[in-house]
Structures are given as C-alpha cells and as structure tokens.
C-alpha cells in the first residue's frame, strides 16, 4: 500500500529537479548572466572612481592648508626638526596635520598672526606666536586639533632647546613580527566581513528570484508550468534553480577573493594575516556556506511567495520593500552581535530565526567552539522548512488566483 505514495514522491522530486534545471540553464546560459556575475566588480569600479575623485578633491584642499608658527629663526629650525619627528606617528591623510610654515615675528606678531588667518592663497588652520613658554595660538572653526599639535610642537621645541639641541636622544630598533594567529581585532573584522558578505550575497541573489517570477508572470509562462506539473514542484524547483545560480556566483567570487593576497604588496598581505576566523579556515568555509544556504533559502522562499502574489512589477516592489527593510535591520542586529560576542544582544541575534544565519556566521569568526553551530543549523533548518511550507502554499494560491481577474495583491490579505 506504500507503493503509490513512494511513486508520487519520486515523481514530485523528478518534476522539481526538472524545473530547477530549466531555471538554472535559462539563467546561466545567457549573455546577461555575465553582467550579473561581474556586478560586484562593476559596482566596486564605480565606488573606486567615486573614492578616487573624493580623494583628489581632499588632496587638493590639503595641499592648500597650512599651520603657521611665528618664531625666531633659531626656534624655527628646532621646531621643524620636532615636526619631522612627530609626523612619523601619523599614517593617513586625515590624521596628518597640515604642512608647517614658520615666519619671523616682525614688529607686531599678533597682527601678523591675524593676517595669516585671512590669507587668500592658502587656508591657515592655526597660528602660533609669542614666547614658547606661554604661546598664543589662534585657530579657525575646525582647527582645534591643529592648535593642540602646535602646542605640542612648542613643548618639544623648548625641550630640545634646553637639552642642548634638536638631535634625537634615543635610537630605537624596530622589528616587525607576524602573528601566528589572528588578533582579537582581526577576529572582529572577520566577523563583520562575514555578516556583510552573507547579507550582500543573499540580498543580491535572492532578489533575482523576484525578477524572474515577474517576467514569467507577465508572459504567462508560470501558467503553462502550473498546468504541466504541481505548483509545489514549480516553487521548489525555482528555489533550487536560483540557489544553483547563487552557488555558482559564490564559488566564482570565493575563488577570486581567496587569491587576493597574492596580488597585494608584501606589507599589506602581512597585515591581512591578522584577520582570520577563530574557528579555523576549513571549518569557517564550510560554516559560511551552510549559513549562506540557510539565509538564502529563507529569503528566497519569501521573495518567491511574494512574487506570486503580485501581478505587476510595481506591486512586487511594494511588497519587497518591507522584506528588504527587515533584512537591513537583521544586518544591523548581526553587526552589533559581531562586535559584542557573548552579550545578551549577540545571544538574541544568534537564536532569532531571521538574524541567526548572520550572527552565527559571525560567531564562527569570533569564537572557536564548534558544537553551538550544530544546534544553530538544526534550528535554522527547522525554520527553513516552515518558511518553505508557508511560502509554497502562498505561491500556489497566488498563481491560481492570477488568472481569476481579481487583484492578486488584495488576495494576499483575503482569507483562504
């Protein structure tokens, strides 16, 4: 008596795989898929161009910014030496003070200082004048940091003068050591990159299912599929087909990202060694893919069921917006959990169904224990099953009502 149910199950699986293969081939074997595959590179190129333009503007403004010290020629020499030593601790352009310019006092140092602040050829952030024991520093609206820097320059100049010259009193030997394991800060960075990576991939790839669904609703392909195979097979097949596309996308970019350190300068590659997962790279890769799978299936099932309720692209956008907002909120929650492992916020994010894949992936980067991931994956798998079951029913109802002439968006809120 169990032969018929087994036969029905096999037929359902076969039909599901047929739909999945159809959607996978229809998506991958098209010229537009190459554009989609290189979308991160295209977006990154636009971001790099914008960043380069902003850096050029900032660099141009930095070249015209000055700090001025009105001191005697002897003090100017020692102050220049102190300035050179202090600037060694600065790395970025945003941290480094503007170029130091020294001027002779003249008959009225105070008037000369105020005149420097009104200069037209360059911007003066701060001006120092008067005896170095009690200097007066004038600064503009955003020159408080440079005023502090000028005060420190005055202090160091006086110390050099009283110690007998501007020569360094110590000569340090610097030795670079590469850590064998990732640092705590590196683990936190890896956790954030993990959360961002899964969020970006799921939102980019799961959203593709909505576009495919809208296209097939408009050209009546979905009705043809519904007449040939059960709608449950259509739903599961589309979900698996889009997941196959997502796996291909992740495998392609994962391979490229894994080789990025070979293209970096040696110093930068050594710095990247401090960033790494606490659980170990092999286990981390497996867990990253597992949590990406859970997050994708959750979001993909929701998007597919939403796509079945809407009859126009505008309705799809209206229904997809709240889902996207919720995903952004889950990203924010998981990011907080990644920066504060072991806190109540992190625990809540790890067990809340919608944020659990993101937060647990971050935990793999932050903490070395493996057993919590087994419990979390079982918990998430249960919720994936619940969401897919509800989504399949909503998908069936939306497709069946699409040809009734009634607005399918209103049908979403009508009782079954």
């Amino acid at each position: 008596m169990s032969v018929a149910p087994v036969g029905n199950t096999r037929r359902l699986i076969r039909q599901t795989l047929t739909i999945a293969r159809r959607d996978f081939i229809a998506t991958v074997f098209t010229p537009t898929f190459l554009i989609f595959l290189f979308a991160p590179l295209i977006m990154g190129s636009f971001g790099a161009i914008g960043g380069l333009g902003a850096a050029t503007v900032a660099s141009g403004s930095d070249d015209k910014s000055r700090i001025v010290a009105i001191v005697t020629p002897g003090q100017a020499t020692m102050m220049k030496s102190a300035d050179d030593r202090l600037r060694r601790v600065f790395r970025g352009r945003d941290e480094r003070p503007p170029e130091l310019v020294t001027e002779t006092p003249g008959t009225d140092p105070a008037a000369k200082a105020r005149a420097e602040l009104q200069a037209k050829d360059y911007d003066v952030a701060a001006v120092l004048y008067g005896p170095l024991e009690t200097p007066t520093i004038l600064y503009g609206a955003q020159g408080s940091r440079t005023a502090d820097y000028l005060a420190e320059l005055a202090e160091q100049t006086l110390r050099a003068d009283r110690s007998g010259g501007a020569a360094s009193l110590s000569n340090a030997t610097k030795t670079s050591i590469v850590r064998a394991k990732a640092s705590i800060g590196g683990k936190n960075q890896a956790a954030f990159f993990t959360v961002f990576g899964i969020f970006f991939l799921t939102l980019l790839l799961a959203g593709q299912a909505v576009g495919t669904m809208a296209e097939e609703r408009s050209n009546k392909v979905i009705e043809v599929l519904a007449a040939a195979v059960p709608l449950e097979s259509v739903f599961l097949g589309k979900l698996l087909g889009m997941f196959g596309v997502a796996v291909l996308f992740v495998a392609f970019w994962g391979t490229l990202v894994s080789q990025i350190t070979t293209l970096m300068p040696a110093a930068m590659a050594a710095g990247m060694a401090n960033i790494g997962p606490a659980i170990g790279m092999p286990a981390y890769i497996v867990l990253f893919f597992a949590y990406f799978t859970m997050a994708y299936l959750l979001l993909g099932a929701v998007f597919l069921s939403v796509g079945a309720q809407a009859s126009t692209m505008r309705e799809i956008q209206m229904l997809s917006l709240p889902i996207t907002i919720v995903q952004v909120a889950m990203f924010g929650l998981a990011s907080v959990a990644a920066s504060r492992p072991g806190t109540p916020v992190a625990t809540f994010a790890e067990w809340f169904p919608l944020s659990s894949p993101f937060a647990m992936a971050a935990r793999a980067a932050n903490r070395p224990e493996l057993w919590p991931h087994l419990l979390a994956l079982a918990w998430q798998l249960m919720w994936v099953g619940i969401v897919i079951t509800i989504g399949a029913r909503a998908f069936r109802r939306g497709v069946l009502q699409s040809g009734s002439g009634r607005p399918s968006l209103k049908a979403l809120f009508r009782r079954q």
Side-chain angles (χ1 to χ4, degrees):
M1 296 179 64
S2 61
V3 175
V6 172
N8 291 336
T9 302
R10 289 179 177 175
R11 183 167 60 254
L12 181 66
I13 294 174
R14 185 171 61 252
Q15 292 168 340
T16 298
L17 294 179
T18 300
I19 298 296
R21 183 172 63 252
R22 168 195 172 273
D23 278 33
F24 180 83
I25 294 175
T27 302
V28 172
F29 292 95
T30 57
T32 56
F33 180 72
L34 290 177
I35 300 177
F36 175 75
L37 188 63
F38 289 100
L41 182 62
I42 297 173
M43 291 186 289
S45 300
F46 283 120
I49 293 172
L52 183 61
T56 303
V57 173
S59 177
S61 62
D62 288 343
D63 292 340
K64 295 183 179 181
S65 184
R66 303 282 190 275
I67 54 176
V68 179
I70 302 176
V71 291
T72 62
Q75 291 174 332
T77 301
M78 286 186 287
M79 186 171 285
K80 283 283 189 180
S81 299
D83 179 60
D84 292 338
R85 290 195 303 271
L86 289 176
R87 286 179 184 271
R88 296 172 190 170
V89 303
F90 299 105
R91 291 295 181 265
R93 180 181 287 109
D94 295 336
E95 297 179 356
R96 187 179 294 111
E99 179 185 352
L100 173 66
V101 175
T102 58
E103 300 283 352
T104 55
T107 56
D108 191 352
K112 188 170 186 177
R114 287 181 170 81
E116 287 288 344
L117 286 173
Q118 306 300 325
K120 297 181 179 180
D121 296 335
Y122 48 83
D123 296 327
V124 176
V127 182
L128 177 147
Y129 70 94
L132 295 185
E133 292 83 358
T134 56
T136 300
I137 301 175
L138 308 179
Y139 61 93
Q142 298 181 1
S144 60
R145 288 185 62 202
T146 53
D148 293 338
Y149 181 75
L150 278 175
E152 183 62 27
L153 273 181
E155 174 72 16
Q156 295 300 321
T157 302
L158 272 180
R159 289 180 180 274
D161 184 35
R162 294 178 181 179
S163 64
S168 299
L169 300 180
S170 65
N171 188 12
T173 300
K174 303 175 185 178
T175 304
S176 176
I177 301 296
V178 179
R179 292 176 59 98
K181 296 182 179 180
S183 62
I184 295 177
K187 293 175 185 176
N188 289 337
Q189 290 178 350
F192 175 77
F193 291 149
T194 301
V195 173
F196 178 78
I198 294 181
F199 167 75
F200 175 78
L201 290 172
T202 51
L203 203 58
L204 176 66
L205 298 171
Q208 188 185 22
V210 178
T212 304
M213 188 67 195
E215 181 182 353
E216 294 190 349
R217 286 290 298 273
S218 62
N219 56 25
K220 305 300 181 182
V221 172
I222 194 68
E223 283 80 359
V224 176
L225 294 176
V229 297
L231 286 173
E232 289 79 5
S233 295
V234 176
F235 177 83
L236 294 175
K238 286 188 168 297
L239 188 60
L240 291 179
M242 292 298 101
F243 178 67
V245 175
V247 170
L248 179 61
F249 186 94
V250 172
F252 175 79
W253 280 105
T255 303
L256 292 183
V257 171
S258 65
Q259 304 300 317
I260 194 171
T261 54
T262 61
L263 304 176
M264 292 181 175
M268 188 178 296
M272 291 290 292
N274 290 331
I275 302 176
I279 204 167
M281 189 56 70
Y284 171 79
I285 293 174
V286 174
L287 289 174
F288 180 91
F289 183 76
Y291 288 126
F292 165 72
T293 300
M294 297 300 171
Y296 181 87
L297 292 178
L298 278 171
L299 192 59
V302 173
F303 272 132
L304 270 179
S305 59
V306 165
Q309 311 306 316
S311 57
T312 64
M313 182 57 71
R314 183 176 181 179
E315 290 183 356
I316 288 177
Q317 293 173 347
M318 291 174 61
L319 289 173
S320 299
L321 180 60
I323 302 174
T324 304
I325 293 175
V326 170
Q327 281 299 106
V328 173
M330 294 302 101
F331 168 70
L333 178 61
S335 298
V336 174
S339 62
R340 301 177 183 177
T343 60
V345 174
T347 303
F348 174 78
E350 289 168 1
W351 291 105
F352 187 67
L354 296 179
S355 63
S356 181
F358 306 99
M360 288 304 298
R363 184 189 176 104
N366 267 328
R367 307 178 72 172
E369 300 89 2
L370 185 60
W371 65 267
H373 298 284
L374 302 178
L375 296 177
L377 287 173
W379 169 256
Q380 293 168 24
L381 190 61
M382 181 189 74
W383 279 100
V384 167
I386 293 173
V387 171
I388 288 179
T389 301
I390 297 175
R393 293 179 180 177
F395 180 86
R396 178 183 180 85
R397 179 183 177 185
V399 172
L400 289 178
Q401 292 181 347
S402 62
S404 63
R406 293 176 294 178
S408 57
L409 183 58
K410 294 181 180 179
L412 178 64
F413 305 99
R414 190 177 291 113
R415 292 183 180 180
Q416 296 185 2

